[in-house]
Amino acid sequence: LPISLEKFDEGGGELMVYTDATAKDLGQAFSVFNLALEHDVEITLMLSGSCSPIDPEYLRLARETGGQAFVIAENETFEATKLADFAVRPDSVDIAHINGTLSATPVTYTIPVDSTLTTVTFSVSGTDGAIVKRPDGTTVQSTDANVSSANISGGNIFSINDPADGAWSVIVSGDGEFTIKVIGESPLSFSSFEVVEVGGGSGHEGYFPIGGLPLAGTVNKVVADLSPGNFNSAQFELRDPNGALLQTLALSEILHDEAGTIRQYFGDVTFPTVPVLAHVTGTDSNGQTFQRVVPKRIKPQTVEVTAPLFSEIYPGRDFSFTAQVTNHGAADTFTIKATDDESLIRKISPSAFTLNTGETINVTVNVKAPADIPAGSMDLVTLSVASSGASETNNFAVIELMIV
């Protein structure tokens, strides 16, 4: 997975993984999530085989990056590939991403389908008994006109051409974890929701995405991007992974002189201590309710990693830089790891430590580039800190090293 994720550019995308094996490198799970976050990649897993029960790290990786995890039979691989066809379309947009635990009592989730959508795909993992209903109350069947489906045992996937405007519904019940992912084709997109900070050199100052996860309970700056036109109003929200509203956000539009550019919104957000997803709702240009989501989870943290964004190093010479780890939460014990593209890291010290509330520790990272490494080469170093206890507190920072 790390090699595949490194191949994505800044535009991000979706990575679909088909495997019949259990995870052999669980120690890399946190690094894989960070890479997916950096490259804006959703990971969807198609898991088959009988090696052992499905590892929960697979499920976590899928849900936290905005993807899904399906458990399928080995002879269903071809059917499962249909999801890639439904997902990789021009003007693809994310409408809903809901994750939770099934129960014997059916639960109904309402999904608004607006007038700009030419297709809509309902993808439900974790149960093959999901029911999708149109605004008029009729149940979607795989044999209906304008409906395509993927027939797999680990979920329900329906793609509808020319869907009716209005409130659709998805009804789920059963046992275990589930994810509802709704996507479609539309020119009305919610392309990004970034936590930002001031950066840039002299004369080029501006707001840039932060290099790690945002801090909970403190004021953060955010920038949200919507497509131009196609809507009359927009309200940004934070919801929990099960779709419950937690906060409405007061973001102001940044006015641009050029017509047809993206519409940007800016403002302050104080994140809660629980994972959230950014949503936008409103009315489209025809007055129909629309909804869009950035499906990757935002996981606010109480530990912070501060490091230089950029450093120059020389071939054949030893070099070190210092990072600071600050604990804004309860006293905890942490470990820190350093990974990089070019294997230049020699040592990180200390690699484990205990921090009280408000305490900061300096961490030294030693690197050395080979004497024959070409000038101009770049090496990305990721520092990942995580609680070694049960809190699951974690964060990371990315440092860019240039060979001169």
Side-chain angles (χ1 to χ4, degrees), residues 65-78:
T65 61
Q68 288 178 283
F70 292 86
V71 180
I72 63 173
E74 292 183 351
N75 61 359
E76 294 174 338
T77 302
F78 175 75

Side-chain angles (χ1 to χ4, degrees), residues 322-401:
T322 300
Q324 290 80 38
V325 178
T326 302
N327 180 24
H328 299 277
D332 206 343
T333 299
F334 299 91
T335 59
I336 188 167
K337 297 180 180 179
T339 58
D340 68 326
D341 300 336
E342 301 295 332
S343 300
L344 306 185
I345 296 169
R346 296 295 178 262
K347 184 181 179 183
I348 181 169
S349 180
S351 59
F353 41 84
T354 297
L355 294 176
N356 294 316
T357 303
E359 190 175 2
T360 297
I361 191 170
N362 289 332
V363 175
T364 301
V365 181
N366 298 102
V367 300
K368 185 174 184 178
D372 58 351
I373 192 169
S377 299
M378 304 296 297
D379 187 31
L380 286 181
V381 177
T382 301
L383 294 180
S384 301
V385 64
S387 167
S388 53
S391 70
E392 296 188 0
T393 302
N394 62 80
N395 215 325
F396 68 97
V398 179
I399 303 94
E400 188 174 50
L401 302 180

Side-chain angles (χ1 to χ4, degrees), residues 100-350:
T101 302
L102 297 164
S103 70
T105 303
V107 178
T108 299
Y109 295 90
T110 301
I111 311 295
V113 172
D114 59 83
S115 65
T116 71
L117 287 159
T118 57
T119 68
V120 63
T121 297
F122 295 86
S123 177
V124 184
S125 61
T127 174
D128 59 2
I131 299 171
V132 178
K133 290 192 173 185
R134 300 179 178 86
D136 63 6
T138 59
T139 299
V140 174
Q141 304 286 350
S142 60
T143 55
D144 292 345
N146 296 331
V147 174
S148 301
S149 64
N151 299 313
I152 58 176
S153 57
N156 297 102
I157 301 171
F158 299 105
S159 187
I160 299 100
N161 289 323
D162 194 22
D165 305 343
W168 292 60
S169 58
V170 181
I171 304 168
V172 294
S173 61
D175 181 49
E177 182 177 324
F178 77 95
T179 298
I180 300 170
K181 185 175 177 66
V182 185
I183 57 178
E185 289 180 86
S186 167
L188 202 174
S189 67
F190 182 17
S191 56
S192 72
F193 183 88
E194 298 282 0
V195 182
V196 297
E197 61 187 354
V198 175
S202 178
H204 300 280
E205 297 89 351
Y207 284 98
F208 298 87
I210 63 173
L213 303 174
L215 291 177
T218 62
V219 176
N220 297 265
K221 301 289 185 183
V222 301
V223 174
D225 291 350
L226 296 183
S227 57
N230 302 307
F231 63 93
N232 298 324
S233 64
Q235 173 64 62
F236 294 91
E237 303 170 346
L238 296 181
R239 300 186 189 180
D240 72 12
N242 197 239
L245 176 65
L246 298 179
Q247 291 184 35
T248 56
L249 306 180
L251 305 187
S252 300
E253 184 169 5
I254 303 171
L255 298 179
H256 294 279
D257 295 332
E258 297 180 15
T261 59
I262 59 172
R263 295 178 68 170
Q264 286 191 316
Y265 297 78
F266 179 81
D268 294 336
V269 176
T270 300
F271 289 102
T273 56
V274 296
V276 294
L277 284 82
H279 288 69
V280 63
T281 63
T283 57
D284 65 22
S285 54
N286 292 316
Q288 293 289 334
T289 299
F290 79 88
Q291 174 181 293
R292 300 291 185 266
V293 62
V294 175
K296 66 181 179 182
R297 287 192 183 184
I298 302 170
K299 299 177 62 180
Q301 300 295 323
T302 55
V303 65
E304 180 181 14
V305 184
T306 305
L309 296 177
F310 176 84
S311 290
E312 294 180 342
I313 63 175
Y314 295 86
R317 297 187 190 177
D318 293 317
F319 175 80
S320 65
F321 64 87
T322 300
Q324 290 80 38
V325 178
T326 302
N327 180 24
H328 299 277
D332 206 343
T333 299
F334 299 91
T335 59
I336 188 167
K337 297 180 180 179
T339 58
D340 68 326
D341 300 336
E342 301 295 332
S343 300
L344 306 185
I345 296 169
R346 296 295 178 262
K347 184 181 179 183
I348 181 169
S349 180

